[in-house]
Amino acid sequence: MRLTALFALMAVVSLAACSPAGINGAQSDSFATAQAPLASGYPLSSQPKMQAMAHWDRLAATVAGNCAKALDHFHPDGELRVYVAPAQATPFGKSYREALLTRLVDYGVPVSFTPNGAAVLEVGVETVTHRRTLARTRSGRLLIADPDFVQAKDDKGRYPKVPMVSEESGLFDPDTPQTEIQVTSALVHNGGYLYRDSSIFYVDGRDMAHYKLGAPSGDVELKRYSLVNK
């Protein structure tokens, strides 16, 4: 009887020693593991949303100003002209090019009508629509592992529990747009970059026709069809 109890006690001790450290458990000598990296959030930040031509002009002003600085640095003699290459034939592409021409002139940059011998300012636009799955809670917050946590032993040779932080879930998430664009503006000369900018913005999904060729404008009615064998 005593021998059976001893074996049972040894089994319990063995299981306890082999069990991993739980995220919310006490300190343990075991290394906490997971089958995949834990999903963590990012520090709360903001991203601009484009929804007016004034926003396009504001980006053009920033890019033109930085192009002027790059030309002053690499070609201080002021003799190098800039040719703004045609962009996509979308409302944004055409309007953004016109805004770039105007803003370059505002900054005193010599603008060329042809690319011959000039630095070329090229514009590219990439669009993406996410299918976001955002976790929601009634309280508006959920607990996640601290993104900056790196598991290591403390001064006593033990692994501390994984610290948890609060993530916003409800106050800001519902207003997060699902559609984004990346506008890349590059000033190229003699096979190299004089200046390059990649800016990312939110846009309304119903405005995709402003940025992408062939995209439908406004609300799109979806129809579902099914094939039936008779």
Side-chain angles (χ1 to χ4, degrees):
M1 191 70 176
R2 292 182 179 178
L3 187 59
T4 303
L6 178 61
F7 285 152
L9 179 60
M10 292 176 61
V12 171
V13 172
S14 177
L15 289 173
C18 295
S19 62
I23 288 182
N24 291 313
Q27 289 185 334
S28 172
D29 290 329
S30 300
F31 194 83
T33 63
Q35 296 184 36
L38 299 180
S40 64
Y42 290 86
L44 189 62
S45 61
S46 62
Q47 180 172 293
K49 180 179 179 181
M50 279 189 167
Q51 50 189 12
M53 293 183 70
H55 299 160
W56 302 350
D57 180 69
R58 183 172 179 176
L59 175 62
T62 300
V63 170
N66 289 333
C67 284
K69 293 178 182 178
L71 290 173
D72 288 340
H73 176 75
F74 292 105
H75 296 273
D77 53 14
E79 296 181 357
L80 182 63
R81 293 179 175 270
V82 173
Y83 171 74
V84 183
Q88 285 187 340
T90 60
F92 170 77
K94 293 184 288 186
S95 179
Y96 184 55
R97 183 177 187 272
E98 293 298 322
L100 284 172
L101 290 168
T102 299
R103 292 300 185 174
L104 286 170
V105 173
D106 287 343
Y107 280 102
V109 176
V111 177
S112 174
F113 291 106
T114 65
N116 299 330
V120 179
L121 180 55
E122 303 171 341
V123 176
V125 179
E126 293 292 335
T127 62
V128 62
T129 298
H130 303 279
R131 293 183 177 179
R132 300 190 193 277
T133 302
L134 301 178
R136 306 283 168 78
T137 62
R138 290 185 178 181
S139 64
R141 295 183 180 275
L142 55 86
L143 292 179
I144 62 170
D146 186 348
D148 296 326
F149 172 68
V150 177
Q151 190 167 212
K153 290 183 178 181
D154 58 20
D155 53 1
K156 296 182 179 179
R158 304 170 72 90
Y159 291 108
K161 65 180 181 180
V162 178
M164 307 299 289
V165 296
S166 177
E167 181 173 71
E168 179 59 48
S169 176
L171 182 59
F172 305 107
D173 295 340
D175 298 326
T176 302
Q178 296 187 344
T179 304
E180 296 176 285
I181 64 169
Q182 182 183 56
V183 183
T184 300
S185 309
L187 185 62
V188 182
H189 183 60
N190 287 340
Y193 290 112
L194 299 182
Y195 166 73
R196 200 169 193 274
D197 175 82
S198 292
S199 298
I200 300 175
F201 305 90
Y202 284 128
V203 296
D204 194 311
R206 293 169 293 184
D207 291 339
M208 281 295 286
H210 294 167
Y211 307 95
K212 185 176 181 180
L213 288 173
S217 59
D219 296 330
V220 179
E221 181 180 354
L222 299 179
K223 295 183 178 180
R224 180 176 295 179
Y225 299 90
S226 61
L227 297 178
V228 181
N229 292 327
K230 294 185 177 180

